[in-house]
Amino acid sequence: MSILTPCTLRVAVPEDAAELVEIYAPYVLNTAITFEYTVPTEAEFKERIENTLTRYPYFVARDAKGRAAGYAYASPFKEREAYDHVAELSIYVRKEVRQQGLGRFLYSALEESLTLMGIVSTEACIACPALPDEPFLDDSSLRFHERLGYMKVAHFKCCGYKFERWYDMVWMEKQLQARKVPAPAIRPFYEVAGEILRLKTLP
């Protein structure tokens, strides 16, 4: 049985920042999963949450004891208006609860939200090893996205540098719904949040 059971979903709030930094910090310090070099402060993380929620979903999953087990959010693919119908996804979960369905649970909520908002496709920017036997990175994120129906659309060689090593970068994409002309207006996340959170639990 999963140690997460049951796990509930809610929209992040700035007050979650301390717990989310706790989840994120090991990825910054010990892995090349993120190319960020320095762990953000709690104040910086609060600002990131607030900025995201002005437009996009930002979810926190909590375990049976109320502890934040993971989080996921969407962000602009590019800033210009022509890209408004596409979003980039990010996800981080506690190491001890990986491979227990939490990532799929969080991504499902993001994808449902973005579909209701009018987003037509999602993008994931994924670091991947440039060499075999890489100590700071494996291909688990690539495999995770493949299982969720994402397809590789770009592969950049040795474009990231961390821990005195070079890393490749892969972009993966998933179409959420058909593209229409004219494209529908994008709804802000707060208009669809209630529809997503209703009965959203990981059994």
Side-chain angles (χ1 to χ4, degrees):
M1 175 174 293
S2 165
I3 63 173
L4 282 174
T5 305
C7 192
T8 58
L9 185 83
R10 71 165 172 77
V11 176
V13 294
E15 289 72 23
D16 292 323
E19 278 190 287
L20 302 194
V21 170
E22 181 183 316
I23 294 171
Y24 184 55
Y27 289 97
V28 176
L29 298 173
N30 305 320
T31 82
I33 289 173
T34 171
F35 285 166
E36 194 159 16
Y37 281 13
T38 305
V39 177
T41 65
E42 183 178 337
E44 289 171 334
F45 224 86
K46 285 182 177 180
E47 186 175 358
R48 294 182 186 187
I49 294 170
E50 290 170 341
N51 288 342
T52 297
L53 286 172
T54 61
R55 182 175 174 186
Y56 291 104
Y58 200 131
F59 292 117
V60 177
R62 293 194 170 274
D63 62 21
K65 295 181 179 180
R67 185 182 71 154
Y71 66 95
Y73 60 91
S75 56
F77 172 59
K78 293 286 185 180
E79 292 295 341
R80 291 179 178 168
E81 288 182 64
Y83 298 105
D84 280 356
H85 291 80
V86 181
E88 182 179 345
L89 306 188
S90 299
I91 184 169
Y92 295 93
V93 301
R94 292 189 186 274
K95 183 177 180 180
E96 63 268 28
V97 297
R98 293 178 67 182
Q99 299 183 341
Q100 296 186 39
L102 182 58
R104 183 181 293 271
F105 177 62
L106 285 163
Y107 253 44
S108 173
L110 283 180
E111 291 173 358
E112 289 177 37
S113 299
L114 294 167
T115 300
L116 289 172
M117 289 169 59
I119 299 296
V120 298
S121 64
T122 50
E123 314 291 335
C125 182
I126 303 165
C128 61
L131 298 171
D133 301 320
E134 167 56 51
F136 300 106
L137 187 65
D138 59 27
D139 64 355
S140 58
S141 185
L142 289 171
R143 304 287 83 80
F144 166 75
H145 285 84
E146 286 176 347
R147 289 193 296 272
L148 295 186
Y150 284 75
M151 302 291 292
K152 186 167 76 171
V153 293
H155 191 146
F156 300 95
K157 296 290 188 177
C158 296
C159 60
Y161 185 75
K162 188 176 181 180
F163 303 132
E164 299 185 354
R165 294 168 177 268
W166 289 101
Y167 294 94
D168 289 2
M169 178 62 65
V170 165
W171 280 92
M172 300 187 76
E173 181 179 68
K174 182 177 181 177
Q175 184 167 329
L176 300 182
Q177 56 187 317
R179 290 164 168 79
K180 300 176 181 179
V181 179
I186 299 296
R187 300 168 65 189
F189 171 63
Y190 67 80
E191 289 188 5
V192 306
E195 299 174 53
I196 298 301
L197 293 174
R198 194 174 298 118
L199 302 177
K200 201 71 177 176
T201 61
L202 179 65

